[in-house]
Amino acid sequence: PCTHVNLLIIYFIFYNVYGGRELGDGEYATLIAKYKRLFLAGSAEYPVTSPGTQKRNFTHISDILSAIISVAETGNGDNYGIGSDEEYSVLEVVEMFEGSPKFLSAKTSNRKTGKLITSKTKKLGWTPSVSLIDHINGSRKKLTKNTIILSMLLTKKYATRLSLGLYKTLSSAQHHLTPIHNKVNQDYLC
């Protein structure tokens, strides 16, 4: 056991966390959030570091939290791996978003696969419950529905229902639609 001055220490290993308020842009963006952002923007191509066959165990944040609680109640020590048993290649994730891969140069630091170490966590009774496929399908439906609603608000057909001033504001802001729409949808990506 790892203890110091009567302080219990537990060491976790997280495997490709997604869901909720994950970053979709920048150096620390998660693959799933980045692909959601591209889907929302209407992109047909999704960046894939060559060869694309590298496998990952994507784990939903709710599964991470339930495992942390389980381990905190009865666990002790290190190597509490928290990861989904489902393993997907990056190319398979692109297919889930119904996109095409845009291959990027291979990186020497990019691992092809990794060993999932979750047995110690599972011995405490924890099992992952959220499927990546279900999450992506649900997110795509929400994002598509929100895009349709926002687009309807910006068409002249519905302008008579809006005050002229509001219509002009929406129309002049239309070129800013993508960043505004991305911000609006952050609450619906979970």
Side-chain angles (χ1 to χ4, degrees):
C2 299
T3 57
H4 180 68
V5 191
N6 294 324
L7 178 65
L8 177 65
I9 297 173
I10 300 172
Y11 175 72
F12 295 99
I13 304 165
F14 302 131
Y15 293 88
N16 297 342
V17 183
Y18 70 92
R21 297 181 181 184
E22 62 196 316
L23 297 176
D25 218 356
E27 184 180 355
Y28 300 105
T30 67
L31 181 74
I32 304 303
K34 184 186 297 186
Y35 285 6
K36 285 180 188 176
R37 180 179 52 77
L38 291 169
F39 176 81
L40 180 62
S43 180
E45 291 188 322
Y46 294 76
V48 174
T49 301
S50 292
T53 55
Q54 53 272 37
K55 300 269 189 170
R56 302 289 182 262
N57 298 81
F58 297 95
T59 311
H60 194 271
I61 186 64
S62 64
D63 286 332
I64 297 288
L65 295 174
S66 69
I68 289 172
I69 291 167
S70 178
V71 172
E73 291 174 347
T74 57
N76 185 3
D78 58 4
N79 289 330
Y80 284 97
I82 305 173
S84 173
D85 295 323
E86 298 175 338
E87 185 180 62
Y88 297 101
S89 73
V90 177
L91 288 173
E92 288 173 316
V93 176
V94 169
E95 287 176 17
M96 291 178 202
F97 281 95
E98 297 181 358
S100 301
K102 178 181 179 182
F103 288 100
L104 307 175
S105 299
K107 297 178 183 177
T108 56
S109 62
N110 193 9
R111 62 182 170 80
K112 302 294 183 252
T113 189
K115 183 178 179 185
L116 184 66
I117 305 168
T118 59
S119 60
K120 193 171 179 180
T121 310
K122 288 184 175 184
K123 282 181 185 175
L124 299 177
W126 174 81
T127 57
S129 62
V130 180
S131 162
L132 178 63
I133 293 173
D134 292 343
H135 175 79
I136 290 174
N137 287 339
S139 294
R140 286 179 46 227
K141 287 177 187 173
K142 286 179 187 176
L143 293 173
T144 301
K145 179 181 175 185
N146 292 339
T147 302
I148 291 169
I149 290 169
L150 194 54
S151 295
M152 285 173 45
L153 287 173
L154 295 173
T155 61
K156 288 187 177 185
K157 179 179 178 183
Y158 291 92
T160 56
R161 294 185 185 172
L162 302 171
S163 71
L164 185 57
L166 177 59
Y167 177 72
K168 286 181 180 178
T169 301
L170 288 173
S171 295
S172 67
Q174 192 165 8
H175 68 282
H176 299 291
L177 176 61
T178 300
I180 292 169
H181 195 211
N182 286 341
K183 176 109 174 90
V184 168
N185 276 294
Q186 288 300 316
D187 295 333
Y188 300 101
L189 295 179
C190 199

